[in-house]
Amino acid sequence: MFQSYIGLEIHIQLTTASKVFCGCRAAFGGEPNTNVCPVCLGYPGVLPALNEEAMRLSYLVARALNCSLNEQAVFERKNYFYPDMTKNYQISQFASPLAKEGFLDVAYRKHKKRIRIREVHLEEDAGKMIHAGDLSLLDYNRAGTPLLEIVTEPDLEVGEEAELFLQNFRRLVRYLGVCDGNMEEGSLRCDANVSVNVRDRGLGSKVEIKNLNSFKFVRKALNYEIERQEKILERGGAVTQETRLWNENRDLTEGMRIKESALDYRYFPEPDLPPFRPDAAFLETVDAMIVELPRERLRRFLTDYPLSESQADFLCAEKETADFFEECVTLGADPKAVALWLASDVRKLLNRRSEILAKSPLTAAWLAELLGLLSEGRIHGRIAKQVLEAVFEEKRSPGELVRAHNWEQITDPGRLEPLIAGVLEQEAAAVDQVRRGDAKPLGFLIGQIMKQSGGRAEPGLVRQLLKEKLGLTFIQVLAMGGAIGGSRTEEGVIVPGDLQPLIGKLTKSAGTGLSQNIRFEEVEISRILSEEITPEDWAALISALNGHLKEENASGIVVAHGTDTLAYTASLLFWLFPEPTLPVVMTASFSPEEAESDLEYALKAASREKPGIYVALEGRLYSPLNIKFARVGRGGFVNWNLASPVYRGGGLTRLYTELPGQEELTRRLKDALSRVCVLKIYPGMKGDYLIALMNAGIRYFVLELYDTGTANLRETPYSLKKAFLTGKERGARFFCTSQQEGIVDFSGYITSHELWREKAVPMGSLTTEAAFTRLLAVLLFSEDEDEVLELMEEANADFDSGAQSN
Ligand SMILES: [Zn+2]
């Protein structure tokens, strides 16, 4: 077994107005060789003068990285020749850098780790050499701009972890406002040292990798390099200490030169600059610039506001977004609504217009105003989206727009009642149909009333007033088969059947305790036992549910299902319907004899509970997520890893709100299922079995591991090792759940550590059924591997934070 060590050398261009040792402008772009002077061009006899602002920003970064400050920062000359540097030396720091021994924490795959910072030093940047055909051109605009170098200890282990560290670091310097973090323009650059050795033998030969100018390249190059070194060591060879370049076109690293050592540079103290000693007054000016850092802000957002982890992370990714959010909240807007609008409608508009929030016409005051109009009921949801678009187009406030376009909705029941009475009189036939227990004409009646109001009536209020007028409550029952609608033959065998007689019986019976004006409408979807469920059945259920939720004719929906696969269907619905407008209650029965009481309880829950998805069985409510079938004793089901029985966290909210039609849905479900496989590992399982599945087209595995996430990864056929290595080559992904009620966090055991090093993803508190259906839900909408991975990890983070706080 190998261990890998990655250390990073990060360079950031500080956003000072002028260069570090002269008064030239320090800015990206500009006509070549226009921001230059004798000092930064290194003419004889000129003297450098230290830019104190550059020092201030440098110490600010050092403080934010928890470094200890050296008493003095000594500038030294690093001697070497290269055409982009006219002086033949670079002013840098060597023996006494400005700061050392800091840290930055990261949490990769639930593995929390402290990455130590070895040192922070300030130097001057070189110019730029541009190759154009046979010519090499030189632009010295960049020469002498302040460049801060941050060196980490080799505490990182895999490419993904280094990528995450770098992203966190970039967020930090952007929050501090010391660097724009633009990797494409080179204002944030990264080199890495990679060293692989047999576990417990310490560092091996060090290879330096250059040319990592995107986060993706960091990940890919480091993973490539780790594998390259492992292969050399496996063959018994020795890794050469050298500098290699990442070739982004061929996806590999190439040898560039044998690495020089520090001695080769003949460092000596810069005679023209005195050592810099940060005194108390200077450090006070540094401390005055400290802002709340991204990690602290994220933590505070999670405590102060009712946000999911992915929402908080989205808001805190950019300081401007986080500030915008808090400004809206200060102005009285509901934090949940602000987060939702920023992550969905506002983001979509910004993407479409290729704008960023800070430079868009939308201000925090205007978004707060829009949400205010919505919550006061002056406009409804559809109009609110229209207003938002108009804000971007017309650059006027929401209030003005609503007035100018006459978009204000009618919310006064006094004005609506005559309209409703008129329509009911005109459409007597439809009214009669509804009174007899058919909900279908309700939509038509609502449409007529809306038309009469010129589209300005509040739809929710119309629906409510209409139902009051008719004196009816509808509960729709979607029948999916199962023992609940089944019957027992003379031999005692349970067979699937029709739910209608039972519904009829419940409607007539006076003693059920169900209100007399409740009407039930049965929609038969399939008549099977739940173990016989197919992708077509799922697609039919999802489409029917989607349609009924949109129509909003009913006050609640009951899904009558079988017990065996209910855990799957319930969690799939949970992921796909993050914000149902009605209570959706799934129920099932262990036998036809218990069907009546189970259905009755579910119907009551559907007429009483708040909107959400629930599972009801034997007189109890459960969360649709993390449900386990536990037939022993009473109770029927249990929810794993949940502090409270009903979890109301978010589903797959972030990207998609529109479900495809039934036919397309069936096609996508089948396609997703052909790439996914759920496996429970057991002693003696061979890695070859998984490889056979990969050969059959499986790309995503949900692996049920032992305990908190352990498995055999030794060099034996009875381990997952070979499967993981093959998976890496073929782009297969492994999402790990537990066979026990436990949280998979890959901690504690060396076997867990090996798993996360091989890129397995722990699914935290999610059960196998919940992880599997999340994967299906994600694959319905995304083909992009990175996005699939991101959405899987998001579910897991949100559930972990939600399950504990709910
Ligand atoms: Zn200059």
Side-chain angles (χ1 to χ4, degrees), residues 679-740:
L679 282 176
K680 173 174 177 163
I681 61 152
Y682 51 87
M685 181 188 208
K686 283 186 169 174
D688 282 345
Y689 299 162
L690 275 73
I691 295 167
L693 286 165
M694 284 178 221
N695 291 338
I698 299 296
R699 281 295 165 273
Y700 297 99
F701 291 88
V702 177
L703 281 183
E704 240 185 36
L705 303 174
Y706 307 123
D707 194 33
T708 57
T710 57
N712 186 350
L713 278 183
R714 283 178 184 274
E715 299 286 345
T716 137
Y718 303 100
S719 106
L720 299 180
K721 177 84 180 174
K722 200 170 154 195
F724 273 109
L725 294 181
T726 311
K728 248 195 244 178
E729 278 164 25
R730 311 255 187 103
R733 291 287 180 183
F734 300 88
F735 300 102
C736 301
T737 59
S738 179
Q739 295 175 19
Q740 290 80 32

Side-chain angles (χ1 to χ4, degrees), residues 110 302 306-310 336 574 623 625 641-650 765-766 794-806:
K110 298 196 169 288
L302 283 170
L307 300 171
S308 73
E309 190 151 323
S310 57
K336 253 195 135 46
F574 176 85
S623 153
L625 263 201
N641 297 327
L642 266 182
S644 111
V646 181
Y647 168 64
R648 286 201 186 82
S765 327
L766 290 177
E794 199 169 273
N796 149 14
D798 282 351
F799 185 70
D800 282 1
S801 59
Q804 277 144 32
S805 66
N806 253 272

Side-chain angles (χ1 to χ4, degrees), residues 15-62:
T15 49
T16 51
S18 55
K19 294 185 179 180
V20 61
F21 300 122
C22 65
C24 291
R25 223 163 63 83
F28 178 81
E31 276 294 298
N33 300 311
T34 50
N35 299 327
V36 288
C37 74
V39 177
C40 52
L41 287 176
Y43 282 24
V46 294
L47 286 174
L50 183 61
N51 178 345
E52 196 175 283
E53 187 56 17
M55 289 312 275
R56 216 185 314 279
L57 300 187
S58 304
Y59 279 91
L60 181 61
V61 174

Side-chain angles (χ1 to χ4, degrees), residues 112-410:
K112 289 196 186 79
K113 217 154 89 176
R114 177 151 288 184
I115 307 303
R116 293 168 299 156
I117 307 293
R118 183 181 296 166
E119 68 166 74
V120 176
H121 67 252
L122 181 66
E123 59 194 27
E124 58 179 335
D125 207 347
K128 240 188 202 163
M129 189 142 75
I130 301 137
H131 305 283
D134 292 343
L135 285 176
S136 285
L137 304 166
L138 286 156
D139 175 9
Y140 292 104
N141 278 352
R142 205 177 67 177
T145 54
L147 198 62
L148 192 68
E149 179 169 345
I150 294 96
V151 185
T152 79
E153 295 289 351
D155 291 343
L156 296 153
E157 289 176 72
V158 292
E160 285 81 358
E161 198 181 33
E163 182 187 19
L164 183 72
F165 175 85
L166 201 61
Q167 279 164 346
N168 284 357
F169 174 80
R170 177 179 185 263
R171 206 182 261 198
L172 179 88
V173 295
R174 285 169 62 96
Y175 262 65
L176 292 171
V178 300
C179 172
D180 64 20
N182 192 328
M183 286 187 90
E184 272 163 42
E185 290 178 3
S187 47
L188 190 156
R189 288 167 246 164
C190 179
D191 299 329
N193 289 302
V194 182
S195 159
V196 175
N197 205 351
V198 176
R199 188 176 285 289
D200 299 328
R201 295 230 186 114
L203 267 72
S205 305
K206 203 164 79 175
V207 172
E208 189 181 0
I209 320 266
K210 289 191 175 287
N211 204 23
L212 305 173
N213 47 25
S214 81
F215 290 117
K216 198 171 89 186
F217 293 164
V218 168
R219 169 173 26 107
K220 287 171 91 170
L222 295 179
N223 285 339
Y224 174 86
E225 184 58 23
I226 289 168
E227 261 188 74
R228 188 186 72 88
Q229 293 188 25
E230 280 183 6
K231 278 181 189 151
I232 294 175
L233 295 173
E234 261 168 15
R235 287 198 305 264
V239 175
T240 313
Q241 185 140 330
E242 62 179 339
T243 298
R244 297 177 73 85
L245 273 185
W246 171 244
N247 183 328
E248 59 186 76
N249 299 316
R250 298 179 57 204
D251 273 3
L252 47 80
T253 63
E254 291 166 334
M256 184 172 108
R257 58 167 187 254
I258 300 301
K259 194 174 163 45
E260 332 57 17
S261 74
L263 281 175
D264 299 332
Y265 290 114
R266 298 289 189 276
Y267 280 97
F268 67 86
E270 165 63 54
D272 296 333
L273 283 168
F276 183 84
R277 293 189 179 82
D279 58 18
F282 171 81
L283 289 177
E284 252 173 53
T285 65
V286 171
D287 287 345
M289 294 168 76
I290 280 274
V291 295
E292 186 182 26
L293 299 177
R295 272 181 82 86
E296 279 80 63
R297 194 161 203 185
L298 184 83
R299 230 172 281 149
R300 182 170 64 78
F301 270 33
L302 283 170
T303 15
D304 287 5
Y305 308 111
L307 300 171
S308 73
E309 190 151 323
S310 57
Q311 280 175 324
D313 191 68
F314 164 74
L315 293 171
C316 292
E318 298 288 344
K319 186 170 175 293
E320 287 76 17
T321 316
D323 290 344
F324 190 101
F325 167 80
E326 291 212 286
E327 204 185 323
C328 286
V329 174
T330 310
L331 291 167
D334 169 42
K336 253 195 135 46
V338 179
L340 221 66
W341 277 75
L342 282 177
S344 55
D345 293 275
V346 173
R347 175 154 71 171
K348 272 183 217 153
L349 263 174
L350 290 171
N351 285 348
R352 205 168 73 206
R353 303 167 57 98
S354 317
E355 281 179 338
I356 58 164
L357 186 59
K359 289 188 180 133
S360 81
L362 185 69
T363 61
W366 283 359
L367 182 59
E369 189 182 329
L370 176 65
L371 296 178
L373 291 171
L374 193 60
S375 68
E376 286 161 20
R378 288 180 54 201
I379 51 172
H380 54 77
R382 199 167 38 78
I383 299 283
K385 286 175 200 278
Q386 214 168 301
V387 174
L388 182 72
E389 297 215 9
V391 166
F392 277 82
E393 291 299 331
E394 301 176 33
K395 301 181 178 54
R396 292 156 81 188
S397 83
E400 262 180 78
L401 287 164
V402 169
R403 270 192 304 279
H405 295 280
N406 198 18
W407 281 336
E408 190 144 347
Q409 66 181 353
I410 306 170

